Amino acid sequence: MSRTGTKLDAKKVNSELFTLTYGSIVAQLLQDYENVEDVNKQLERMGYNIGIRLIEDFLARTGSGRCYDFKDTAEKIQSGFKIFLGITPSITNWSPAGDEFSLCFETNPLTEFVELPDNYSNLKYCNMLPGVLRGACEMVQMEIACWFVQDQLKNDNLTELRVKFVKRLEDAIPAGED
Amino acid sequence: MVIYGVYIVSKSGGLIFNHDHNVPKIEVEKSFNFPLNIKLNYENKKVVVAFGQKDGIHVGHVLTTANGIAVTGRELEDGRDILEMLEQPENFPITLKFSRAKMTTNEKIFLASMFYPLFAIASQLSPEPRSSGIEILEADTFRLYCYQTLTGIKFMIVAEPSQSGMEIFLKRVYDLYADYALKNPFYALEMPIRCELFETNLQTLLETVEKSGINNV
């Protein structure tokens, strides 16, 4: 996923390799933990740790400035999906206060080859994504909550990820930025 | 076209990376007769030239060897005190080697953490609301460029005043940081960067900039 100077070009990485790797992580976690809830939590945590690093890559690559409105944030998250997963989710269902929106995926590269067995009906297969968003936003001093409301793996029409603005982390804003 | 060094300061103000680049080494060796015609002082655990600039020996230079024997603090390797030695005529003629003082890692960490509040004060002193901190600090022998990312990490370079395009260069260093430091699974955030890949890529970048200018990176 690196730029100039390395042989790998972002666009040339086969998404299947990524999809399968993700699948093996989830499968391994299911083996390691007895409880599906724990797996969900673990995935979220792993995503968080990815997010706090990935945000630097996003900023370095896009040169985006700070968001002063949650609509900006939504668009930037959307472009982040484009950069890192090659998909453009649609932004819908804004709450009247403008502090909540949904990202809708018609296709989801993470679940391309996945069928969820019945006994794992509580598993949030893609729970790494909310973690990534939370981690990334936290690094730019914004606390958000993020969860799945619809999931194609659970026979919904599309996958819907809900994002809610919680607060600005005022204490963490670096000097010269506030 | 010279870039003297690259520094990275973490969100909490600690120096997490420094790289000295292309700082010309200055060393002068000269033979002296009694009485010594330059004034030496002992300060900060170094013997420093205080007065009497001549033959390439400048005020501020540090005494490194006497008759080829290394000087640490005010002592020679064999335990003799160098300042006492220089007061006794029988030790002359003596060959002394002076060089420009080199910053120790501790001093660099100290300076980096000193820049941190300076940056914050600058943004508060501003007559205009919502000012950034220091972006360029100019002196007659160098310019310091600072780029703070949205996440609060500061990238700094010290370069010759005539060196242009340093803002672009800083962004490229940010790229490298995002790639080679953060994607290294064994690198812990906020900790000093000890990633060889990062260093070699930075080195390559520095060389390209110096050879063919900033437009080619």
Side-chain angles (χ1 to χ4, degrees):
Chain A
M1 301 272 262
S2 185
R3 290 167 307 279
T4 45
T6 40
K7 282 125 225 148
L8 282 178
D9 191 282
K11 289 172 196 78
K12 286 179 193 143
V13 177
N14 191 338
S15 76
E16 286 185 15
L17 176 65
F18 173 65
T19 307
L20 296 174
T21 313
Y22 186 78
S24 53
I25 287 177
V26 179
Q28 183 66 48
L29 285 174
L30 282 168
Q31 266 182 31
D32 291 351
Y33 293 88
E34 286 160 14
N35 193 335
V36 172
E37 283 307 316
D38 287 346
V39 175
N40 290 341
K41 220 180 281 168
Q42 252 340 289
L43 281 171
E44 213 268 355
R45 237 189 68 192
M46 290 163 89
Y48 173 82
N49 287 324
I50 293 174
I52 58 178
R53 291 169 182 243
L54 198 64
I55 181 69
E56 305 284 5
D57 191 25
F58 177 79
L59 294 174
R61 200 180 285 217
T62 59
S64 8
R66 183 168 295 283
C67 299
Y68 292 103
D69 180 52
F70 208 43
K71 287 215 162 56
D72 285 349
T73 313
E75 276 160 27
K76 286 190 175 137
I77 290 175
Q78 190 185 36
S79 74
F81 273 102
K82 177 78 198 136
I83 292 172
F84 295 114
L85 288 179
I87 47 173
T88 312
S90 50
I91 303 168
T92 52
N93 296 343
W94 277 99
S95 69
D99 64 346
E100 250 185 89
F101 66 90
S102 289
L103 290 163
C104 291
F105 307 82
E106 273 166 24
T107 54
N108 181 350
L110 290 183
T111 58
E112 211 173 326
F113 312 114
V114 182
E115 290 172 53
L116 216 52
D118 294 338
N119 53 333
Y120 289 147
S121 58
N122 285 331
L123 176 69
K124 294 171 187 156
Y125 184 82
C126 298
N127 216 26
M128 211 180 257
L129 294 182
V132 172
L133 292 190
R134 187 170 69 87
C137 287
E138 188 180 300
M139 290 303 277
V140 285
Q141 300 88 38
M142 192 169 9
E143 189 176 327
I144 61 159
C146 189
W147 65 94
F148 281 105
V149 284
Q150 289 190 73
D151 194 339
Q152 278 162 323
L153 287 178
K154 292 168 185 164
N155 297 323
D156 294 317
N157 280 330
L158 34 78
T159 301
E160 181 180 348
L161 187 59
R162 193 85 181 142
V163 184
K164 181 180 168 42
F165 175 84
V166 180
K167 63 172 188 234
R168 283 252 283 172
L169 300 164
E170 299 290 345
D171 298 340
I173 297 177
E177 282 284 346
D178 36 350
Chain B
M1 299 280 270
V2 181
I3 296 168
Y4 296 120
V6 179
Y7 304 85
I8 304 179
V9 175
S10 78
K11 193 163 50 177
S12 42
L15 183 70
I16 55 172
F17 180 80
N18 79 81
H19 175 87
D20 289 328
H21 184 73
N22 212 348
V23 184
K25 202 175 170 190
I26 292 178
E27 270 188 343
V28 186
E29 196 157 18
K30 193 174 178 283
S31 180
F32 290 90
N33 288 316
F34 192 80
L36 198 63
N37 53 1
I38 52 174
K39 178 93 188 81
L40 297 179
N41 256 355
Y42 181 65
E43 53 187 44
N44 281 334
K45 296 182 182 156
K46 286 175 213 145
V47 178
V48 184
V49 180
F51 201 65
Q53 187 159 302
K54 64 162 67 86
D55 305 329
I57 301 170
H58 290 253
V59 170
H61 280 185
V62 174
L63 179 66
T64 53
T65 65
N67 285 336
I69 307 169
V71 178
T72 27
R74 55 187 293 167
E75 279 184 357
L76 286 174
E77 256 172 1
D78 49 17
R80 280 180 296 170
D81 187 304
I82 182 69
L83 292 180
E84 281 171 18
M85 211 176 128
L86 292 174
E87 279 162 17
Q88 293 151 1
E90 67 266 27
N91 291 323
F92 284 83
I94 191 168
T95 313
L96 299 176
K97 192 197 253 176
F98 294 90
S99 77
R100 183 153 65 184
K102 245 185 105 189
M103 254 198 285
T104 64
T105 312
N106 265 341
E107 285 168 328
K108 282 180 196 157
I109 293 174
F110 177 69
L111 284 180
S113 50
M114 209 132 88
F115 183 76
Y116 184 82
L118 217 57
F119 183 93
I121 288 171
S123 81
Q124 288 184 11
L125 276 179
S126 157
E128 298 281 334
R130 303 169 71 88
S131 168
S132 76
I134 296 172
E135 286 178 345
I136 302 175
L137 190 97
E138 200 170 337
D140 61 350
T141 54
F142 74 93
R143 242 186 233 172
L144 183 146
Y145 296 81
C146 176
Y147 171 64
Q148 175 168 263
T149 70
L150 293 186
T151 52
I153 298 161
K154 288 183 194 65
F155 292 85
M156 291 188 269
I157 42 172
V158 178
E160 241 183 11
S162 61
Q163 183 83 308
S164 64
M166 286 297 103
E167 287 85 358
I168 306 165
F169 178 77
L170 279 171
K171 299 227 163 70
R172 292 288 299 125
V173 179
Y174 186 25
D175 276 353
L176 292 181
Y177 169 76
D179 275 353
Y180 295 103
L182 291 181
K183 286 178 191 168
N184 178 355
F186 301 106
Y187 170 68
L189 288 185
E190 295 269 301
M191 292 315 250
I193 302 171
R194 298 194 205 291
C195 307
E196 213 163 288
L197 275 174
F198 178 70
E199 294 221 18
T200 41
N201 280 283
L202 181 66
Q203 188 71 42
T204 321
L205 178 65
L206 282 164
E207 276 159 20
T208 334
V209 172
E210 290 198 328
K211 267 196 211 109
S212 47
I214 192 73
N215 297 323
N216 292 312
V217 294

